Amino acid sequence: MKFKEQIYGMKAYQPGKPIEEVQKEFGLKEVIKLASNENPFGCSPKVKEFIKNNDINYAIYPDGYAQELRTAVSKHLGVEENQLLFGSGSDDIIAIISRALLYPGVNTVMADPSFSQYSHNAEIEGAEIRKVPLKDGKHDLEKMFEAIDENTSIVWICNPNNPTGTIVADEELSAFLKKVPKEVLVVLDEAYFEYITDPAYQDTLHYVEEYPNVIIMRTFSKAYGLAAFRVGYAIGQADVISKLEPVRAPFNNTVLSQKVAIVALEDQEFIKETVERTERAKRQYEEFCKKHGLKYYPSQTNFILFEVKTDSDVIFQEMMKRGFIVRSGNALGTPGFIRVSFGTEEQNSKFLETLEGVLKEQGALV
């Protein structure tokens, strides 16, 4: 069969291990998953109420244009409806953009390490991948600009960045966008946008109006707690969005996912509460790292990346044996570190107490 040459040797995305698999493997009754940056507080109770009290006709295709959801999001953000592109999570939006703009002969620029799906999709499309190392855990926009040439098609800025959780300050971003050639698309991936509390970040929506080559991606998977429903969206100028729409699958958001996203969007009190509880969880981890002299990156997300002063895979495995699923830094391009999604206060306390014991066993703590 005539597969694309670049497909050979590629590996599928490897998510964190499912809870059921870990329970079965180690004979555990309780497993706490802190690996996929999900919302430990769930979703808005209004979503659960909606699902319980509303019937859906499963025989009918969803609205491919997602009109009701489109109207709700446009009102919430204060943008025109034709400035929005919807996808089955941000992953789908990344694939759409990549399919539309990447091909052999062009290149794409991104930070390293950052979200793996940028390079994954670029590789599928046969484009050259230019990775620019992070500087102190943050995007090095100066070096990223230097990597741009006449063949550059897309620049990806993960803000906040995954896996470090760091942000690009607005002053730096503004200076960068002023220099980038207008024929180069700049994608601002803001999957964790709702969690940001650092005043160095300023809402980026105005950049869409100022620069036709800027697209912003956001999602309902993180703070809204709707990861299972797979709803992501992009905001850009109408002309750019209109060129991406034909690449989108005809019915890439289900009937139910569109409905619950609207309900979730209306409950901003839940988002406020989620952010407040996440900030408290962040402090638990920061205090732990300071107590034990462990380097960590200042996170503006619902996860934290910090060092363990030993083999990340060993800590990953030992914590999994004890009922905690995290991500090893070896899999994220940050050896010697682990990435941990924030849980509830009780889950965090159990995790940190267990981790302290494991690190002592491994000789990483005195």
Side-chain angles (χ1 to χ4, degrees):
M1 289 180 279
K2 299 176 181 178
F3 287 107
K4 287 182 175 181
E5 184 180 343
Q6 54 268 29
I7 295 293
Y8 293 96
M10 289 188 69
K11 294 181 179 180
Y13 178 76
Q14 297 294 318
K17 277 197 172 187
I19 290 173
E20 295 77 14
E21 183 180 332
V22 174
Q23 284 178 317
K24 184 178 179 180
E25 182 178 353
F26 297 106
L28 299 168
K29 289 184 178 180
E30 181 188 25
V31 171
I32 298 173
K33 185 183 177 188
L34 304 173
S36 299
N37 308 337
E38 295 144 333
N39 190 337
F41 315 118
C43 62
S44 166
K46 294 180 180 179
V47 168
K48 297 177 182 178
E49 184 180 350
F50 174 85
I51 293 173
K52 181 180 179 181
N53 298 322
N54 286 269
D55 290 327
I56 300 292
N57 186 344
Y58 299 113
I60 303 299
Y61 282 110
D63 172 14
Y65 194 60
Q67 184 60 66
E68 286 185 65
L69 177 58
R70 183 177 297 273
T71 299
V73 173
S74 70
K75 288 182 178 178
H76 178 71
L77 297 177
V79 301
E80 297 298 323
E81 292 185 4
N82 60 3
Q83 289 185 260
L84 298 169
L85 174 73
F86 289 91
S88 180
S90 294
D91 301 325
D92 189 27
I93 301 291
I94 293 168
I96 290 170
I97 292 172
S98 299
R99 190 178 180 190
L101 285 102
L102 297 180
Y103 46 86
V106 303
N107 67 69
T108 178
V109 177
M110 64 199 68
D112 182 40
S114 194
F115 188 43
S116 63
Q117 291 304 288
Y118 311 146
S119 59
H120 183 83
N121 280 279
E123 190 170 353
I124 291 172
E125 301 304 333
E128 178 192 350
I129 300 166
R130 297 183 175 181
K131 294 185 176 182
V132 178
L134 297 175
K135 185 177 181 180
D136 298 324
K138 300 179 180 180
H139 284 61
D140 188 342
L141 293 187
E142 288 187 14
K143 293 293 185 184
M144 290 180 72
F145 177 72
E146 290 174 7
I148 297 171
D149 64 16
E150 66 276 6
N151 295 318
T152 303
S153 186
I154 306 174
V155 175
W156 304 90
I157 297 178
C158 191
N159 194 27
N161 186 48
N162 182 7
T164 56
T166 54
I167 60 164
V168 174
D170 185 66
E171 185 178 353
E172 297 174 61
L173 180 60
S174 178
F176 178 77
L177 293 176
K178 287 176 182 177
K179 297 188 295 184
V180 174
K182 296 299 178 284
E183 64 272 15
V184 176
L185 180 69
V186 179
V187 181
L188 306 179
D189 185 351
E190 298 186 342
Y192 301 92
F193 156 76
E194 289 85 1
Y195 291 107
I196 302 173
T197 57
D198 190 331
Y201 170 91
Q202 298 293 315
D203 197 320
T204 54
L205 281 178
H206 67 97
Y207 288 125
V208 170
E209 299 304 318
E210 295 170 25
Y211 301 101
N213 61 325
V214 170
I215 278 185
I216 299 169
M217 295 195 307
R218 293 179 181 174
T219 183
F220 284 91
S221 295
K222 304 303 180 182
Y224 285 94
L226 299 181
F229 291 99
R230 314 306 301 125
V231 183
Y233 60 96
I235 312 138
Q237 290 199 6
D239 182 58
V240 177
I241 295 297
S242 69
K243 289 180 174 63
L244 294 172
E245 278 285 357
V247 185
R248 177 180 59 80
F251 307 106
N252 60 339
N253 289 118
T254 68
V255 173
L256 187 55
S257 65
Q258 292 180 38
K259 295 288 187 183
V260 298
I262 294 170
V263 175
L265 191 66
E266 293 171 350
D267 192 358
Q268 289 301 307
E269 189 59 36
F270 173 79
I271 298 299
K272 180 182 177 183
E273 182 182 343
T274 288
V275 173
E276 290 173 351
R277 295 176 76 178
T278 300
E279 282 294 300
R280 291 198 292 271
K282 185 194 303 182
R283 287 195 289 273
Q284 285 181 273
Y285 283 85
E286 289 178 344
E287 288 169 6
F288 177 86
C289 290
K290 290 174 182 176
K291 174 184 175 182
H292 296 293
L294 303 174
K295 179 182 177 181
Y296 67 93
Y297 291 103
S299 177
Q300 290 295 305
T301 64
N302 65 339
F303 63 82
I304 189 169
L305 182 73
F306 62 95
E307 71 172 338
V308 289
K309 294 186 176 180
T310 188
D311 189 328
S312 303
D313 284 348
V314 171
I315 301 304
F316 162 76
Q317 194 69 21
E318 290 299 319
M319 291 303 293
M320 191 159 55
K321 288 179 184 177
R322 293 161 173 78
F324 296 95
I325 309 173
V326 298
R327 291 302 297 272
S328 167
N330 289 350
L332 301 171
T334 56
F337 285 69
I338 59 172
R339 192 192 70 189
V340 184
S341 308
F342 301 139
T344 64
E345 185 174 354
E346 181 182 3
Q347 289 173 337
N348 296 332
S349 296
K350 285 182 180 179
F351 173 82
L352 292 172
E353 181 181 352
T354 305
L355 177 64
E356 186 174 41
V358 169
L359 291 178
K360 287 179 179 179
E361 285 179 11
Q362 297 299 317
L365 295 182
V366 178

